[in-house]
Amino acid sequence: NLLDQLPVTVWQYQLWPDGREAFVYITPTCQELFGVPAEEAMSDPQILWNLVFPDDVQNLKISTQLSHENLTLWQEEFRITTPQGQTKWIRGRGRPERKSDGSTIWSSIFIDITAQKEAESELQELNRTLETRIRERTIQLQQQAQAEGLLRLIIETIHESVDIEKTLPIVLTGTRRSLACDRIVVYQFNEDWSGYFLAESVGDGWVPVITGPMTTLSDHCLQETQGGRFQQHYILVSNDIYHSGFTQCHIELLERFQARAQVVIPIFLEQKLWGLLAAYQNDGPRIWQTNEIEMLRHVGLHLAIALRQSELYKAAQAQVVELQKLNRMKDEFLSTVSHELRSPMHNIGMALKMLEIRLRKAKIFDNPELQLERYLHILKSSTQRETELINDLLDLARLNAEKVRLKLEPVGVQEILDRILPAIQERTQEHQQNFIFRRPEHFCHLCTHAYYLERILQELLHNACKYTPPNETITLSIQRQDEQHCMFRVTNTGVTIPPEERERIFDKFYRIPNNDPWQYGGTGLGLALVKKMVKELQGKIELSSENNITEFRVSLPINNSQ
């Protein structure tokens, strides 16, 4: 009853391994959200898929498939067109659960976020309008011959620098000189609406306020009214403080920093009054011209942009530092865990060897009904797989920490190939794949690291075997690229890596979804390690994939001076 009353649509959806699928439950609000009665949607799941915008279908299917394979939280935003012709933005969130019969139950919730998207669009339009208006005002002010060069300098300074402490003195000094006034200040409000002078430019002969006892200044009127008229974007213009109707306490406050005439502009950040920009004439009254007030207002607008830009930059820098810290913690954790796991896995492997010897001596393997050979094989292969994973993690941790110090020496490429090619050829035969080795006329004797080179070639060939369908071809070719470099190429046919996947294929723990015809699985560390090792060898790795041909090219220096 509660679900039926909420302004959301909730459903449960079941998917079986043989491809059968059906809804288990849909709340009646399906009619209101998707424009389709719940009973109709229950009868055919494809009805709701047909409502999704064609541009959103592929991304929605990929995210759904990944969530289904990994049993992870799924959440997406997508567009639909209801049968009534209404376009909506939908936010979906759900989590799959695997049942004992192998089927998967999806429990998902959907909500209409069209109003939110429209509001975001309107906000963007308002921002564009504001930027347009600022540009228009900039053009108008730049047409003022007197301030044209200076105004351009001010705007460039604000937009090119994210360091507000360096930007403010330049902007304020330039503005003061252009207006030929005695003092320009930026005043910032505190949370309790007291305030302080953040920056100042003052002419010769006048007492600075930012370094004196008046740096922190509380205007009781402003504090009690939380900004007073400035909250309504009011611009205060006074040609003479003694003839502007100010209270005596206000006049005495202005006299403390020698002001006789003033213009005060409010500064807003995200629609909130942040502070004030003020220009003062100290030596006598002054009739402020319209273009001068407009120039000051224009500077205030750009100062608001600079202040916001500085805040965003500081927040981004803090986030980068935190992400770097988390990344280091993650690498340290992986390294520590891998070290702690290596000894137990080594002991397990030794225990398995001893167990096998004892069982064979006792002739227990002679009883086929016990299937001990099969169980022992599973234990040994699983132990080997876990050991390889731990070694990969340790290698990656060392490479990321840049703690590896390689000893480079002449390496015979033929010797490395003699060790790895027999296993590759056997594997390709098992999978009905064709393997071609294009042997060079003369092998380059590289000055490199034998283990790294062997590991690079092994991982690339293993990767090719993993993703190549039956009856397709895997080719390893070696050739001298130029006088200083040797090129290794691993090519396989029958598969194309999508462009959006190529940028991520060398990322740690990343695997191309739905592209492994042999279902080997894996951790996604192999190519990440290859890229790191190639870099350590001062080499370069490139990937190309099109027309059902994928090729990895590794260029290594022949005489490495690392």
Side-chain angles (χ1 to χ4, degrees), residues 391-392 395-396 399 406 448-449 451-457 459 526-540 554 556 560 562:
N391 289 334
D392 286 349
D395 287 342
L396 197 59
L399 287 168
L406 298 182
T448 186
H449 193 275
Y451 171 75
Y452 272 27
L453 178 58
E454 181 174 341
R455 189 72 183 277
I456 290 168
L457 295 177
E459 287 290 349
L527 290 178
L529 278 168
V530 165
K531 185 175 181 179
K532 289 281 187 181
M533 290 178 176
V534 170
K535 183 179 179 180
E536 287 294 319
L537 296 179
Q538 302 296 305
K540 181 179 180 182
V554 176
L556 295 177
N560 201 326
Q562 183 183 22

PDB file of all heavy atoms in Angstrom, residues 391-392 395-396 399 406 448-449 451-457 459 526-540 554 556 560 562:
ATOM      1  N   ASN A 391      51.108 -11.631  -7.220  1.00  0.00           N
ATOM      2  CA  ASN A 391      52.340 -11.127  -7.837  1.00  0.00           C
ATOM      3  C   ASN A 391      52.055  -9.908  -8.712  1.00  0.00           C
ATOM      4  O   ASN A 391      52.834  -8.946  -8.744  1.00  0.00           O
ATOM      5  CB  ASN A 391      53.007 -12.229  -8.664  1.00  0.00           C
ATOM      6  CG  ASN A 391      53.623 -13.310  -7.781  1.00  0.00           C
ATOM      7  OD1 ASN A 391      53.978 -13.062  -6.633  1.00  0.00           O
ATOM      8  ND2 ASN A 391      53.733 -14.515  -8.306  1.00  0.00           N
ATOM      9  N   ASP A 392      50.917  -9.957  -9.444  1.00  0.00           N
ATOM     10  CA  ASP A 392      50.536  -8.804 -10.259  1.00  0.00           C
ATOM     11  C   ASP A 392      50.311  -7.570  -9.401  1.00  0.00           C
ATOM     12  O   ASP A 392      50.750  -6.461  -9.742  1.00  0.00           O
ATOM     13  CB  ASP A 392      49.255  -9.113 -11.051  1.00  0.00           C
ATOM     14  CG  ASP A 392      49.520 -10.059 -12.217  1.00  0.00           C
ATOM     15  OD1 ASP A 392      50.697 -10.298 -12.527  1.00  0.00           O
ATOM     16  OD2 ASP A 392      48.545 -10.558 -12.801  1.00  0.00           O
ATOM     17  N   ASP A 395      53.684  -6.293  -8.194  1.00  0.00           N
ATOM     18  CA  ASP A 395      54.414  -5.629  -9.281  1.00  0.00           C
ATOM     19  C   ASP A 395      53.828  -4.255  -9.557  1.00  0.00           C
ATOM     20  O   ASP A 395      54.557  -3.266  -9.738  1.00  0.00           O
ATOM     21  CB  ASP A 395      54.359  -6.485 -10.552  1.00  0.00           C
ATOM     22  CG  ASP A 395      55.240  -7.717 -10.448  1.00  0.00           C
ATOM     23  OD1 ASP A 395      56.130  -7.741  -9.578  1.00  0.00           O
ATOM     24  OD2 ASP A 395      55.031  -8.674 -11.220  1.00  0.00           O
ATOM     25  N   LEU A 396      52.503  -4.188  -9.606  1.00  0.00           N
ATOM     26  CA  LEU A 396      51.844  -2.917  -9.888  1.00  0.00           C
ATOM     27  C   LEU A 396      52.099  -1.908  -8.780  1.00  0.00           C
ATOM     28  O   LEU A 396      52.340  -0.725  -9.036  1.00  0.00           O
ATOM     29  CB  LEU A 396      50.333  -3.147 -10.047  1.00  0.00           C
ATOM     30  CG  LEU A 396      49.543  -2.022 -10.725  1.00  0.00           C
ATOM     31  CD1 LEU A 396      50.087  -1.767 -12.121  1.00  0.00           C
ATOM     32  CD2 LEU A 396      48.074  -2.387 -10.792  1.00  0.00           C
ATOM     33  N   LEU A 399      55.619  -0.600  -9.159  1.00  0.00           N
ATOM     34  CA  LEU A 399      55.741   0.304 -10.293  1.00  0.00           C
ATOM     35  C   LEU A 399      55.094   1.653  -9.998  1.00  0.00           C
ATOM     36  O   LEU A 399      55.629   2.705 -10.349  1.00  0.00           O
ATOM     37  CB  LEU A 399      55.109  -0.335 -11.530  1.00  0.00           C
ATOM     38  CG  LEU A 399      55.888  -1.491 -12.158  1.00  0.00           C
ATOM     39  CD1 LEU A 399      55.039  -2.216 -13.181  1.00  0.00           C
ATOM     40  CD2 LEU A 399      57.170  -0.980 -12.805  1.00  0.00           C
ATOM     41  N   LEU A 406      65.781  -0.965 -12.219  1.00  0.00           N
ATOM     42  CA  LEU A 406      66.075  -2.025 -13.173  1.00  0.00           C
ATOM     43  C   LEU A 406      67.567  -2.096 -13.492  1.00  0.00           C
ATOM     44  O   LEU A 406      68.235  -1.068 -13.653  1.00  0.00           O
ATOM     45  CB  LEU A 406      65.296  -1.792 -14.465  1.00  0.00           C
ATOM     46  CG  LEU A 406      63.769  -1.804 -14.354  1.00  0.00           C
ATOM     47  CD1 LEU A 406      63.150  -1.599 -15.731  1.00  0.00           C
ATOM     48  CD2 LEU A 406      63.283  -3.109 -13.747  1.00  0.00           C
ATOM     49  N   THR A 448      68.078  -4.454 -22.314  1.00  0.00           N
ATOM     50  CA  THR A 448      66.814  -4.225 -21.627  1.00  0.00           C
ATOM     51  C   THR A 448      66.730  -5.142 -20.411  1.00  0.00           C
ATOM     52  O   THR A 448      67.748  -5.629 -19.932  1.00  0.00           O
ATOM     53  CB  THR A 448      65.640  -4.449 -22.609  1.00  0.00           C
ATOM     54  OG1 THR A 448      64.420  -4.095 -21.969  1.00  0.00           O
ATOM     55  CG2 THR A 448      65.577  -5.883 -23.092  1.00  0.00           C
ATOM     56  N   HIS A 449      65.520  -5.383 -19.946  1.00  0.00           N
ATOM     57  CA  HIS A 449      65.304  -6.232 -18.767  1.00  0.00           C
ATOM     58  C   HIS A 449      64.579  -7.493 -19.230  1.00  0.00           C
ATOM     59  O   HIS A 449      63.448  -7.421 -19.733  1.00  0.00           O
ATOM     60  CB  HIS A 449      64.470  -5.478 -17.722  1.00  0.00           C
ATOM     61  CG  HIS A 449      64.462  -6.145 -16.380  1.00  0.00           C
ATOM     62  ND1 HIS A 449      63.572  -7.163 -16.068  1.00  0.00           N
ATOM     63  CD2 HIS A 449      65.225  -5.944 -15.274  1.00  0.00           C
ATOM     64  CE1 HIS A 449      63.782  -7.541 -14.820  1.00  0.00           C
ATOM     65  NE2 HIS A 449      64.784  -6.837 -14.314  1.00  0.00           N
ATOM     66  N   TYR A 451      63.131 -10.130 -17.762  1.00  0.00           N
ATOM     67  CA  TYR A 451      61.851 -10.494 -17.147  1.00  0.00           C
ATOM     68  C   TYR A 451      60.733  -9.590 -17.642  1.00  0.00           C
ATOM     69  O   TYR A 451      59.636 -10.054 -17.981  1.00  0.00           O
ATOM     70  CB  TYR A 451      61.945 -10.412 -15.628  1.00  0.00           C
ATOM     71  CG  TYR A 451      60.610 -10.568 -14.936  1.00  0.00           C
ATOM     72  CD1 TYR A 451      59.989 -11.811 -14.834  1.00  0.00           C
ATOM     73  CD2 TYR A 451      59.967  -9.452 -14.395  1.00  0.00           C
ATOM     74  CE1 TYR A 451      58.756 -11.944 -14.211  1.00  0.00           C
ATOM     75  CE2 TYR A 451      58.740  -9.585 -13.771  1.00  0.00           C
ATOM     76  CZ  TYR A 451      58.136 -10.832 -13.687  1.00  0.00           C
ATOM     77  OH  TYR A 451      56.908 -10.953 -13.072  1.00  0.00           O
ATOM     78  N   TYR A 452      61.009  -8.278 -17.717  1.00  0.00           N
ATOM     79  CA  TYR A 452      59.981  -7.347 -18.179  1.00  0.00           C
ATOM     80  C   TYR A 452      59.597  -7.628 -19.627  1.00  0.00           C
ATOM     81  O   TYR A 452      58.419  -7.626 -19.981  1.00  0.00           O
ATOM     82  CB  TYR A 452      60.490  -5.904 -18.042  1.00  0.00           C
ATOM     83  CG  TYR A 452      60.217  -5.294 -16.690  1.00  0.00           C
ATOM     84  CD1 TYR A 452      60.096  -6.098 -15.553  1.00  0.00           C
ATOM     85  CD2 TYR A 452      60.092  -3.922 -16.530  1.00  0.00           C
ATOM     86  CE1 TYR A 452      59.862  -5.542 -14.308  1.00  0.00           C
ATOM     87  CE2 TYR A 452      59.855  -3.353 -15.284  1.00  0.00           C
ATOM     88  CZ  TYR A 452      59.749  -4.174 -14.180  1.00  0.00           C
ATOM     89  OH  TYR A 452      59.506  -3.618 -12.949  1.00  0.00           O
ATOM     90  N   LEU A 453      60.591  -7.857 -20.482  1.00  0.00           N
ATOM     91  CA  LEU A 453      60.299  -8.121 -21.891  1.00  0.00           C
ATOM     92  C   LEU A 453      59.481  -9.400 -22.028  1.00  0.00           C
ATOM     93  O   LEU A 453      58.505  -9.454 -22.789  1.00  0.00           O
ATOM     94  CB  LEU A 453      61.603  -8.220 -22.682  1.00  0.00           C
ATOM     95  CG  LEU A 453      61.432  -8.532 -24.178  1.00  0.00           C
ATOM     96  CD1 LEU A 453      60.572  -7.493 -24.866  1.00  0.00           C
ATOM     97  CD2 LEU A 453      62.801  -8.637 -24.853  1.00  0.00           C
ATOM     98  N   GLU A 454      59.879 -10.457 -21.306  1.00  0.00           N
ATOM     99  CA  GLU A 454      59.130 -11.712 -21.362  1.00  0.00           C
ATOM    100  C   GLU A 454      57.697 -11.507 -20.876  1.00  0.00           C
ATOM    101  O   GLU A 454      56.738 -12.013 -21.480  1.00  0.00           O
ATOM    102  CB  GLU A 454      59.827 -12.773 -20.513  1.00  0.00           C
ATOM    103  CG  GLU A 454      59.124 -14.135 -20.532  1.00  0.00           C
ATOM    104  CD  GLU A 454      59.926 -15.193 -19.796  1.00  0.00           C
ATOM    105  OE1 GLU A 454      61.141 -14.991 -19.593  1.00  0.00           O
ATOM    106  OE2 GLU A 454      59.321 -16.228 -19.436  1.00  0.00           O
ATOM    107  N   ARG A 455      57.551 -10.771 -19.806  1.00  0.00           N
ATOM    108  CA  ARG A 455      56.211 -10.529 -19.257  1.00  0.00           C
ATOM    109  C   ARG A 455      55.347  -9.719 -20.223  1.00  0.00           C
ATOM    110  O   ARG A 455      54.156  -9.988 -20.387  1.00  0.00           O
ATOM    111  CB  ARG A 455      56.355  -9.782 -17.926  1.00  0.00           C
ATOM    112  CG  ARG A 455      55.060  -9.656 -17.151  1.00  0.00           C
ATOM    113  CD  ARG A 455      54.632 -10.991 -16.563  1.00  0.00           C
ATOM    114  NE  ARG A 455      53.366 -10.864 -15.889  1.00  0.00           N
ATOM    115  CZ  ARG A 455      53.220 -10.423 -14.636  1.00  0.00           C
ATOM    116  NH1 ARG A 455      54.299 -10.087 -13.938  1.00  0.00           N
ATOM    117  NH2 ARG A 455      52.037 -10.340 -14.081  1.00  0.00           N
ATOM    118  N   ILE A 456      55.918  -8.726 -20.870  1.00  0.00           N
ATOM    119  CA  ILE A 456      55.172  -7.906 -21.827  1.00  0.00           C
ATOM    120  C   ILE A 456      54.645  -8.759 -22.975  1.00  0.00           C
ATOM    121  O   ILE A 456      53.464  -8.720 -23.324  1.00  0.00           O
ATOM    122  CB  ILE A 456      56.063  -6.761 -22.362  1.00  0.00           C
ATOM    123  CG1 ILE A 456      56.316  -5.732 -21.255  1.00  0.00           C
ATOM    124  CG2 ILE A 456      55.425  -6.093 -23.575  1.00  0.00           C
ATOM    125  CD1 ILE A 456      57.404  -4.742 -21.583  1.00  0.00           C
ATOM    126  N   LEU A 457      55.541  -9.559 -23.598  1.00  0.00           N
ATOM    127  CA  LEU A 457      55.130 -10.396 -24.724  1.00  0.00           C
ATOM    128  C   LEU A 457      54.121 -11.448 -24.272  1.00  0.00           C
ATOM    129  O   LEU A 457      53.135 -11.744 -24.981  1.00  0.00           O
ATOM    130  CB  LEU A 457      56.351 -11.068 -25.354  1.00  0.00           C
ATOM    131  CG  LEU A 457      57.360 -10.117 -26.010  1.00  0.00           C
ATOM    132  CD1 LEU A 457      58.552 -10.890 -26.536  1.00  0.00           C
ATOM    133  CD2 LEU A 457      56.700  -9.333 -27.139  1.00  0.00           C
ATOM    134  N   GLU A 459      51.966 -11.330 -21.757  1.00  0.00           N
ATOM    135  CA  GLU A 459      50.655 -10.733 -21.479  1.00  0.00           C
ATOM    136  C   GLU A 459      49.923 -10.362 -22.767  1.00  0.00           C
ATOM    137  O   GLU A 459      48.717 -10.579 -22.892  1.00  0.00           O
ATOM    138  CB  GLU A 459      50.825  -9.483 -20.606  1.00  0.00           C
ATOM    139  CG  GLU A 459      51.184  -9.762 -19.166  1.00  0.00           C
ATOM    140  CD  GLU A 459      50.035 -10.380 -18.384  1.00  0.00           C
ATOM    141  OE1 GLU A 459      48.895 -10.399 -18.902  1.00  0.00           O
ATOM    142  OE2 GLU A 459      50.267 -10.878 -17.280  1.00  0.00           O
ATOM    143  N   GLY A 526      46.575  -7.104 -16.367  1.00  0.00           N
ATOM    144  CA  GLY A 526      47.615  -7.471 -17.334  1.00  0.00           C
ATOM    145  C   GLY A 526      48.082  -6.307 -18.183  1.00  0.00           C
ATOM    146  O   GLY A 526      49.282  -5.996 -18.233  1.00  0.00           O
ATOM    147  N   LEU A 527      47.155  -5.631 -18.862  1.00  0.00           N
ATOM    148  CA  LEU A 527      47.553  -4.540 -19.747  1.00  0.00           C
ATOM    149  C   LEU A 527      48.033  -3.325 -18.961  1.00  0.00           C
ATOM    150  O   LEU A 527      48.872  -2.560 -19.454  1.00  0.00           O
ATOM    151  CB  LEU A 527      46.382  -4.161 -20.654  1.00  0.00           C
ATOM    152  CG  LEU A 527      46.030  -5.210 -21.718  1.00  0.00           C
ATOM    153  CD1 LEU A 527      44.835  -4.765 -22.542  1.00  0.00           C
ATOM    154  CD2 LEU A 527      47.225  -5.480 -22.634  1.00  0.00           C
ATOM    155  N   ALA A 528      47.502  -3.125 -17.759  1.00  0.00           N
ATOM    156  CA  ALA A 528      48.004  -2.034 -16.915  1.00  0.00           C
ATOM    157  C   ALA A 528      49.475  -2.264 -16.573  1.00  0.00           C
ATOM    158  O   ALA A 528      50.298  -1.339 -16.608  1.00  0.00           O
ATOM    159  CB  ALA A 528      47.162  -1.920 -15.643  1.00  0.00           C
ATOM    160  N   LEU A 529      49.819  -3.521 -16.254  1.00  0.00           N
ATOM    161  CA  LEU A 529      51.208  -3.854 -15.979  1.00  0.00           C
ATOM    162  C   LEU A 529      52.078  -3.693 -17.221  1.00  0.00           C
ATOM    163  O   LEU A 529      53.207  -3.203 -17.146  1.00  0.00           O
ATOM    164  CB  LEU A 529      51.301  -5.291 -15.454  1.00  0.00           C
ATOM    165  CG  LEU A 529      51.014  -5.488 -13.966  1.00  0.00           C
ATOM    166  CD1 LEU A 529      50.855  -6.969 -13.650  1.00  0.00           C
ATOM    167  CD2 LEU A 529      52.113  -4.875 -13.124  1.00  0.00           C
ATOM    168  N   VAL A 530      51.556  -4.110 -18.369  1.00  0.00           N
ATOM    169  CA  VAL A 530      52.314  -3.988 -19.615  1.00  0.00           C
ATOM    170  C   VAL A 530      52.685  -2.526 -19.868  1.00  0.00           C
ATOM    171  O   VAL A 530      53.826  -2.193 -20.189  1.00  0.00           O
ATOM    172  CB  VAL A 530      51.497  -4.554 -20.794  1.00  0.00           C
ATOM    173  CG1 VAL A 530      52.099  -4.116 -22.127  1.00  0.00           C
ATOM    174  CG2 VAL A 530      51.465  -6.071 -20.734  1.00  0.00           C
ATOM    175  N   LYS A 531      51.703  -1.633 -19.718  1.00  0.00           N
ATOM    176  CA  LYS A 531      51.958  -0.213 -19.973  1.00  0.00           C
ATOM    177  C   LYS A 531      53.014   0.330 -19.025  1.00  0.00           C
ATOM    178  O   LYS A 531      53.922   1.079 -19.429  1.00  0.00           O
ATOM    179  CB  LYS A 531      50.658   0.573 -19.835  1.00  0.00           C
ATOM    180  CG  LYS A 531      50.806   2.043 -20.204  1.00  0.00           C
ATOM    181  CD  LYS A 531      49.478   2.759 -20.171  1.00  0.00           C
ATOM    182  CE  LYS A 531      49.637   4.227 -20.578  1.00  0.00           C
ATOM    183  NZ  LYS A 531      48.349   4.930 -20.568  1.00  0.00           N
ATOM    184  N   LYS A 532      52.919  -0.047 -17.740  1.00  0.00           N
ATOM    185  CA  LYS A 532      53.900   0.412 -16.763  1.00  0.00           C
ATOM    186  C   LYS A 532      55.295  -0.112 -17.087  1.00  0.00           C
ATOM    187  O   LYS A 532      56.293   0.609 -16.995  1.00  0.00           O
ATOM    188  CB  LYS A 532      53.484  -0.048 -15.360  1.00  0.00           C
ATOM    189  CG  LYS A 532      52.270   0.664 -14.802  1.00  0.00           C
ATOM    190  CD  LYS A 532      52.653   2.031 -14.274  1.00  0.00           C
ATOM    191  CE  LYS A 532      51.490   2.689 -13.568  1.00  0.00           C
ATOM    192  NZ  LYS A 532      51.827   4.033 -13.070  1.00  0.00           N
ATOM    193  N   MET A 533      55.371  -1.406 -17.459  1.00  0.00           N
ATOM    194  CA  MET A 533      56.678  -1.999 -17.746  1.00  0.00           C
ATOM    195  C   MET A 533      57.305  -1.386 -18.997  1.00  0.00           C
ATOM    196  O   MET A 533      58.512  -1.141 -19.041  1.00  0.00           O
ATOM    197  CB  MET A 533      56.527  -3.516 -17.910  1.00  0.00           C
ATOM    198  CG  MET A 533      56.214  -4.238 -16.610  1.00  0.00           C
ATOM    199  SD  MET A 533      55.979  -6.010 -16.863  1.00  0.00           S
ATOM    200  CE  MET A 533      55.763  -6.564 -15.177  1.00  0.00           C
ATOM    201  N   VAL A 534      56.483  -1.157 -20.019  1.00  0.00           N
ATOM    202  CA  VAL A 534      57.006  -0.530 -21.232  1.00  0.00           C
ATOM    203  C   VAL A 534      57.558   0.856 -20.910  1.00  0.00           C
ATOM    204  O   VAL A 534      58.628   1.250 -21.397  1.00  0.00           O
ATOM    205  CB  VAL A 534      55.895  -0.438 -22.305  1.00  0.00           C
ATOM    206  CG1 VAL A 534      56.358   0.423 -23.482  1.00  0.00           C
ATOM    207  CG2 VAL A 534      55.524  -1.828 -22.801  1.00  0.00           C
ATOM    208  N   LYS A 535      56.851   1.580 -20.064  1.00  0.00           N
ATOM    209  CA  LYS A 535      57.333   2.908 -19.671  1.00  0.00           C
ATOM    210  C   LYS A 535      58.651   2.813 -18.915  1.00  0.00           C
ATOM    211  O   LYS A 535      59.558   3.630 -19.129  1.00  0.00           O
ATOM    212  CB  LYS A 535      56.271   3.590 -18.806  1.00  0.00           C
ATOM    213  CG  LYS A 535      56.646   5.001 -18.392  1.00  0.00           C
ATOM    214  CD  LYS A 535      55.551   5.644 -17.556  1.00  0.00           C
ATOM    215  CE  LYS A 535      55.962   7.055 -17.124  1.00  0.00           C
ATOM    216  NZ  LYS A 535      54.885   7.686 -16.290  1.00  0.00           N
ATOM    217  N   GLU A 536      58.767   1.817 -18.020  1.00  0.00           N
ATOM    218  CA  GLU A 536      60.008   1.635 -17.271  1.00  0.00           C
ATOM    219  C   GLU A 536      61.180   1.326 -18.200  1.00  0.00           C
ATOM    220  O   GLU A 536      62.325   1.671 -17.910  1.00  0.00           O
ATOM    221  CB  GLU A 536      59.853   0.502 -16.246  1.00  0.00           C
ATOM    222  CG  GLU A 536      59.000   0.845 -15.048  1.00  0.00           C
ATOM    223  CD  GLU A 536      59.628   1.911 -14.173  1.00  0.00           C
ATOM    224  OE1 GLU A 536      60.849   1.850 -13.957  1.00  0.00           O
ATOM    225  OE2 GLU A 536      58.903   2.824 -13.726  1.00  0.00           O
ATOM    226  N   LEU A 537      60.888   0.673 -19.320  1.00  0.00           N
ATOM    227  CA  LEU A 537      61.941   0.340 -20.289  1.00  0.00           C
ATOM    228  C   LEU A 537      62.166   1.464 -21.291  1.00  0.00           C
ATOM    229  O   LEU A 537      62.852   1.263 -22.295  1.00  0.00           O
ATOM    230  CB  LEU A 537      61.571  -0.951 -21.023  1.00  0.00           C
ATOM    231  CG  LEU A 537      61.493  -2.224 -20.165  1.00  0.00           C
ATOM    232  CD1 LEU A 537      61.083  -3.416 -21.020  1.00  0.00           C
ATOM    233  CD2 LEU A 537      62.817  -2.495 -19.457  1.00  0.00           C
ATOM    234  N   GLN A 538      61.583   2.635 -21.020  1.00  0.00           N
ATOM    235  CA  GLN A 538      61.732   3.802 -21.885  1.00  0.00           C
ATOM    236  C   GLN A 538      61.149   3.547 -23.275  1.00  0.00           C
ATOM    237  O   GLN A 538      61.616   4.110 -24.277  1.00  0.00           O
ATOM    238  CB  GLN A 538      63.216   4.199 -22.017  1.00  0.00           C
ATOM    239  CG  GLN A 538      63.900   4.514 -20.704  1.00  0.00           C
ATOM    240  CD  GLN A 538      63.316   5.725 -20.018  1.00  0.00           C
ATOM    241  OE1 GLN A 538      63.248   6.787 -20.597  1.00  0.00           O
ATOM    242  NE2 GLN A 538      62.879   5.544 -18.774  1.00  0.00           N
ATOM    243  N   GLY A 539      60.130   2.673 -23.321  1.00  0.00           N
ATOM    244  CA  GLY A 539      59.502   2.347 -24.596  1.00  0.00           C
ATOM    245  C   GLY A 539      58.156   3.021 -24.755  1.00  0.00           C
ATOM    246  O   GLY A 539      57.754   3.878 -23.978  1.00  0.00           O
ATOM    247  N   LYS A 540      57.440   2.593 -25.778  1.00  0.00           N
ATOM    248  CA  LYS A 540      56.146   3.188 -26.104  1.00  0.00           C
ATOM    249  C   LYS A 540      55.209   2.081 -26.586  1.00  0.00           C
ATOM    250  O   LYS A 540      55.631   1.199 -27.346  1.00  0.00           O
ATOM    251  CB  LYS A 540      56.324   4.243 -27.192  1.00  0.00           C
ATOM    252  CG  LYS A 540      55.046   4.955 -27.595  1.00  0.00           C
ATOM    253  CD  LYS A 540      55.353   6.002 -28.666  1.00  0.00           C
ATOM    254  CE  LYS A 540      54.083   6.736 -29.098  1.00  0.00           C
ATOM    255  NZ  LYS A 540      54.364   7.731 -30.170  1.00  0.00           N
ATOM    256  N   VAL A 554      54.600  -2.393 -29.624  1.00  0.00           N
ATOM    257  CA  VAL A 554      55.518  -2.013 -28.545  1.00  0.00           C
ATOM    258  C   VAL A 554      56.867  -1.671 -29.167  1.00  0.00           C
ATOM    259  O   VAL A 554      57.488  -2.503 -29.822  1.00  0.00           O
ATOM    260  CB  VAL A 554      55.687  -3.146 -27.514  1.00  0.00           C
ATOM    261  CG1 VAL A 554      56.717  -2.743 -26.464  1.00  0.00           C
ATOM    262  CG2 VAL A 554      54.355  -3.463 -26.853  1.00  0.00           C
ATOM    263  N   LEU A 556      60.672  -0.543 -28.358  1.00  0.00           N
ATOM    264  CA  LEU A 556      61.659  -0.512 -27.275  1.00  0.00           C
ATOM    265  C   LEU A 556      63.012  -0.054 -27.816  1.00  0.00           C
ATOM    266  O   LEU A 556      63.400  -0.411 -28.940  1.00  0.00           O
ATOM    267  CB  LEU A 556      61.817  -1.901 -26.647  1.00  0.00           C
ATOM    268  CG  LEU A 556      60.593  -2.474 -25.930  1.00  0.00           C
ATOM    269  CD1 LEU A 556      60.897  -3.875 -25.424  1.00  0.00           C
ATOM    270  CD2 LEU A 556      60.160  -1.573 -24.790  1.00  0.00           C
ATOM    271  N   ASN A 560      69.365   0.832 -24.400  1.00  0.00           N
ATOM    272  CA  ASN A 560      68.686   1.606 -23.373  1.00  0.00           C
ATOM    273  C   ASN A 560      69.709   2.211 -22.431  1.00  0.00           C
ATOM    274  O   ASN A 560      70.496   1.507 -21.813  1.00  0.00           O
ATOM    275  CB  ASN A 560      67.717   0.713 -22.586  1.00  0.00           C
ATOM    276  CG  ASN A 560      66.644   1.524 -21.891  1.00  0.00           C
ATOM    277  OD1 ASN A 560      66.884   2.642 -21.451  1.00  0.00           O
ATOM    278  ND2 ASN A 560      65.452   0.960 -21.811  1.00  0.00           N
ATOM    279  N   GLN A 562      68.997   3.891 -19.731  1.00  0.00           N
ATOM    280  CA  GLN A 562      68.359   4.187 -18.443  1.00  0.00           C
ATOM    281  C   GLN A 562      69.314   3.919 -17.284  1.00  0.00           C
ATOM    282  O   GLN A 562      69.996   2.912 -17.278  1.00  0.00           O
ATOM    283  CB  GLN A 562      67.096   3.333 -18.299  1.00  0.00           C
ATOM    284  CG  GLN A 562      66.323   3.630 -17.029  1.00  0.00           C
ATOM    285  CD  GLN A 562      65.123   2.697 -16.913  1.00  0.00           C
ATOM    286  OE1 GLN A 562      65.099   1.641 -17.514  1.00  0.00           O
ATOM    287  NE2 GLN A 562      64.149   3.080 -16.110  1.00  0.00           N
TER     288      GLN A 562
END
